[in-house]
mmCIF file of all heavy atoms in Angstrom:
data_model
loop_
_atom_site.group_PDB
_atom_site.id
_atom_site.type_symbol
_atom_site.label_atom_id
_atom_site.label_comp_id
_atom_site.label_asym_id
_atom_site.label_seq_id
_atom_site.Cartn_x
_atom_site.Cartn_y
_atom_site.Cartn_z
ATOM 1 N N SER A 932 31.671 52.520 -16.179
ATOM 2 C CA SER A 932 30.239 52.508 -15.877
ATOM 3 C C SER A 932 29.664 51.098 -15.817
ATOM 4 O O SER A 932 28.604 50.893 -15.238
ATOM 5 C CB SER A 932 29.468 53.333 -16.919
ATOM 6 O OG SER A 932 29.365 52.645 -18.153
ATOM 7 N N ILE A 933 30.350 50.124 -16.416
ATOM 8 C CA ILE A 933 29.875 48.731 -16.341
ATOM 9 C C ILE A 933 30.710 47.925 -15.348
ATOM 10 O O ILE A 933 30.734 46.702 -15.387
ATOM 11 C CB ILE A 933 29.848 48.051 -17.719
ATOM 12 C CG1 ILE A 933 31.236 47.987 -18.351
ATOM 13 C CG2 ILE A 933 28.868 48.759 -18.649
ATOM 14 C CD1 ILE A 933 31.294 47.150 -19.630
ATOM 15 N N GLY A 934 31.396 48.641 -14.456
ATOM 16 C CA GLY A 934 32.112 47.988 -13.374
ATOM 17 C C GLY A 934 33.470 47.439 -13.742
ATOM 18 O O GLY A 934 34.020 46.603 -13.023
ATOM 19 N N LYS A 935 34.046 47.921 -14.840
ATOM 20 C CA LYS A 935 35.353 47.434 -15.273
ATOM 21 C C LYS A 935 36.445 48.452 -14.956
ATOM 22 O O LYS A 935 36.186 49.641 -14.786
ATOM 23 C CB LYS A 935 35.352 47.140 -16.775
ATOM 24 C CG LYS A 935 34.317 46.119 -17.217
ATOM 25 C CD LYS A 935 34.539 44.762 -16.596
ATOM 26 C CE LYS A 935 33.540 43.732 -17.104
ATOM 27 N NZ LYS A 935 33.736 42.401 -16.494
ATOM 28 N N LEU A 936 37.667 47.953 -14.887
ATOM 29 C CA LEU A 936 38.836 48.805 -14.656
ATOM 30 C C LEU A 936 39.565 48.976 -15.985
ATOM 31 O O LEU A 936 40.216 48.045 -16.460
ATOM 32 C CB LEU A 936 39.773 48.169 -13.630
ATOM 33 C CG LEU A 936 41.133 48.849 -13.438
ATOM 34 C CD1 LEU A 936 40.950 50.251 -12.861
ATOM 35 C CD2 LEU A 936 42.028 48.002 -12.531
ATOM 36 N N PRO A 937 39.445 50.160 -16.625
ATOM 37 C CA PRO A 937 40.121 50.352 -17.908
ATOM 38 C C PRO A 937 41.585 50.722 -17.720
ATOM 39 O O PRO A 937 41.940 51.527 -16.860
ATOM 40 C CB PRO A 937 39.342 51.510 -18.537
ATOM 41 C CG PRO A 937 38.834 52.300 -17.371
ATOM 42 C CD PRO A 937 38.614 51.320 -16.248
ATOM 43 N N VAL A 938 42.449 50.102 -18.508
ATOM 44 C CA VAL A 938 43.868 50.423 -18.536
ATOM 45 C C VAL A 938 44.203 50.901 -19.939
ATOM 46 O O VAL A 938 43.935 50.197 -20.921
ATOM 47 C CB VAL A 938 44.734 49.199 -18.176
ATOM 48 C CG1 VAL A 938 46.208 49.473 -18.461
ATOM 49 C CG2 VAL A 938 44.536 48.830 -16.718
ATOM 50 N N ARG A 939 44.768 52.070 -20.049
ATOM 51 C CA ARG A 939 45.066 52.635 -21.362
ATOM 52 C C ARG A 939 46.377 52.075 -21.891
ATOM 53 O O ARG A 939 47.416 52.131 -21.221
ATOM 54 C CB ARG A 939 45.137 54.158 -21.279
ATOM 55 C CG ARG A 939 45.410 54.829 -22.612
ATOM 56 C CD ARG A 939 45.176 56.319 -22.543
ATOM 57 N NE ARG A 939 45.387 56.955 -23.842
ATOM 58 C CZ ARG A 939 44.975 58.179 -24.142
ATOM 59 N NH1 ARG A 939 44.316 58.892 -23.235
ATOM 60 N NH2 ARG A 939 45.202 58.694 -25.324
ATOM 61 N N VAL A 940 46.337 51.537 -23.106
ATOM 62 C CA VAL A 940 47.534 51.036 -23.771
ATOM 63 C C VAL A 940 48.039 52.153 -24.683
ATOM 64 O O VAL A 940 47.330 52.586 -25.589
ATOM 65 C CB VAL A 940 47.230 49.762 -24.584
ATOM 66 C CG1 VAL A 940 48.502 49.219 -25.223
ATOM 67 C CG2 VAL A 940 46.589 48.699 -23.688
ATOM 68 N N ASN A 941 49.243 52.622 -24.438
ATOM 69 C CA ASN A 941 49.735 53.826 -25.106
ATOM 70 C C ASN A 941 50.237 53.595 -26.528
ATOM 71 O O ASN A 941 50.452 54.561 -27.259
ATOM 72 C CB ASN A 941 50.853 54.466 -24.283
ATOM 73 C CG ASN A 941 50.343 55.033 -22.968
ATOM 74 O OD1 ASN A 941 49.234 55.550 -22.896
ATOM 75 N ND2 ASN A 941 51.133 54.913 -21.922
ATOM 76 N N ALA A 942 50.444 52.336 -26.915
ATOM 77 C CA ALA A 942 50.913 52.042 -28.270
ATOM 78 C C ALA A 942 50.145 50.839 -28.799
ATOM 79 O O ALA A 942 49.939 49.859 -28.088
ATOM 80 C CB ALA A 942 52.408 51.760 -28.273
ATOM 81 N N ASP A 943 49.723 50.933 -30.043
ATOM 82 C CA ASP A 943 48.962 49.864 -30.689
ATOM 83 C C ASP A 943 49.933 48.797 -31.179
ATOM 84 O O ASP A 943 50.333 48.770 -32.344
ATOM 85 C CB ASP A 943 48.152 50.450 -31.851
ATOM 86 C CG ASP A 943 47.333 49.402 -32.596
ATOM 87 O OD1 ASP A 943 47.105 48.321 -32.026
ATOM 88 O OD2 ASP A 943 46.929 49.677 -33.739
ATOM 89 N N VAL A 944 50.345 47.916 -30.260
ATOM 90 C CA VAL A 944 51.310 46.860 -30.582
ATOM 91 C C VAL A 944 50.603 45.506 -30.497
ATOM 92 O O VAL A 944 49.627 45.346 -29.754
ATOM 93 C CB VAL A 944 52.500 46.886 -29.604
ATOM 94 C CG1 VAL A 944 53.304 48.164 -29.781
ATOM 95 C CG2 VAL A 944 52.035 46.739 -28.154
ATOM 96 N N PRO A 945 51.081 44.498 -31.251
ATOM 97 C CA PRO A 945 50.445 43.176 -31.205
ATOM 98 C C PRO A 945 50.409 42.624 -29.781
ATOM 99 O O PRO A 945 51.413 42.637 -29.063
ATOM 100 C CB PRO A 945 51.346 42.318 -32.102
ATOM 101 C CG PRO A 945 51.978 43.292 -33.044
ATOM 102 C CD PRO A 945 52.175 44.544 -32.233
#
Side-chain angles (χ1 to χ4, degrees):
S932 75
I933 61 172
K935 302 298 183 181
L936 172 65
V938 169
R939 181 168 182 165
V940 182
N941 292 324
D943 179 19
V944 294

